[in-house]
Amino acid sequence: MRLQQLREKVRNRSGVASGDQYITPHVIDDAINQAVFLIDAEYHWPWLEATQTITLVAGDNSYALPVDFEATRSVLLNITSQASVTLYEVAPTLALAQSTADTGTPEGFTILQGQLVLIPTPDNGGPYTLTHLYYRSSEELVSDDDEPLIPDQYHPAIVAAASSLIAARQEQRSIKEAADLDVAQWLRRMRSALRQSTGPVVPRVRPGGWL
């Protein structure tokens, strides 16, 4: 659903009349955006996955993160004619302690002050490129035709969460409680749907052990 459709769904669920002077379209839109951000924060959802490709420069160990960056999933180092290597994450203190004069093939990374910092600093042994797999943040919905990243089948969760916020604003306790219950149920469904297999999970039992 687009923002305009979500707005009407929230208005209808919340019992807000068209032209209401207190719960205006701007207030409803704000509740919808808050609902999207709240749902985003509940899990590392697959629809929030994104990719950043970086061409490394010898002697430069810091690279800017995307503007929509939320969290890193993994970082892969790609070397010409070789298989990609997953870099390990290190503590920021280690990055602060390293000297840019210490060069070599990057093996680790950290996130520091809005930068992806590599350890050691890339040398001339490349060319190297990085594939940065990360979770992005949703953009604010502004225009009527804007659509959230959350898939259509889960838009009722947005409607329920936004309706809860509207009900709280109006001090409608029973409506808020019903909406909160719906949100919790939708979040359970969404997490459950991430399982690619619907069959039972059979643990492999090791002799003499619990698993």
Side-chain angles (χ1 to χ4, degrees):
M1 286 185 281
R2 296 180 174 87
L3 177 58
Q4 184 177 24
Q5 296 168 304
L6 289 168
R7 187 187 304 128
E8 287 306 309
K9 292 285 187 181
V10 173
R11 189 196 307 278
N12 292 336
R13 171 157 187 164
S14 303
V16 176
S18 179
D20 190 293
Q21 297 299 306
Y22 182 59
I23 306 298
T24 63
H26 175 75
V27 170
I28 297 175
D29 289 357
D30 185 57
I32 290 170
N33 279 299
Q34 288 186 55
V36 169
F37 299 146
L38 288 170
I39 292 171
D40 282 356
E42 285 291 328
Y43 202 79
H44 285 151
W45 305 108
W47 51 84
L48 295 178
E49 293 175 1
T51 302
Q52 176 190 23
T53 301
I54 304 171
T55 299
L56 303 188
V57 177
D60 189 353
N61 71 336
S62 297
Y63 298 86
L65 295 169
V67 294
D68 59 355
F69 172 82
E70 193 67 32
T72 291
R73 180 181 179 186
S74 61
V75 178
L76 304 177
L77 177 67
N78 312 301
I79 308 174
T80 304
S81 302
Q82 296 186 35
S84 297
V85 178
T86 301
L87 302 188
Y88 59 87
E89 186 170 6
V90 302
T93 51
L94 184 58
L96 289 171
Q98 82 157 341
S99 167
T100 54
D102 297 329
T103 63
T105 300
E107 297 179 1
F109 77 94
T110 193
I111 304 299
L112 184 65
Q113 298 176 348
Q115 300 281 312
L116 177 67
V117 182
L118 302 176
I119 298 173
T121 299
D123 59 13
N124 290 308
Y128 304 118
T129 61
L130 281 186
T131 301
H132 178 205
L133 306 176
Y134 70 97
Y135 294 99
R136 57 185 165 171
S137 56
S138 290
E139 291 185 9
E140 185 175 3
L141 306 177
V142 178
S143 301
D144 283 349
D145 289 335
D146 287 350
E147 296 183 64
L149 295 172
I150 299 171
D152 285 357
Q153 66 265 37
Y154 302 134
H155 286 185
I158 301 175
V159 174
S163 298
S164 171
L165 294 168
I166 296 294
R169 186 183 181 97
Q170 296 182 298
E171 298 183 350
Q172 296 174 325
R173 182 175 178 179
S174 61
I175 294 177
K176 183 181 186 307
E177 289 176 349
D180 287 343
L181 180 60
D182 280 355
V183 172
Q185 291 174 339
W186 271 109
L187 288 174
R188 282 196 294 271
R189 292 191 194 107
M190 291 161 69
R191 291 191 185 97
S192 178
L194 295 182
R195 282 190 58 192
Q196 299 299 307
S197 171
T198 58
V201 177
V202 180
R204 181 179 178 181
V205 180
R206 292 186 288 109
W210 288 103
L211 292 175

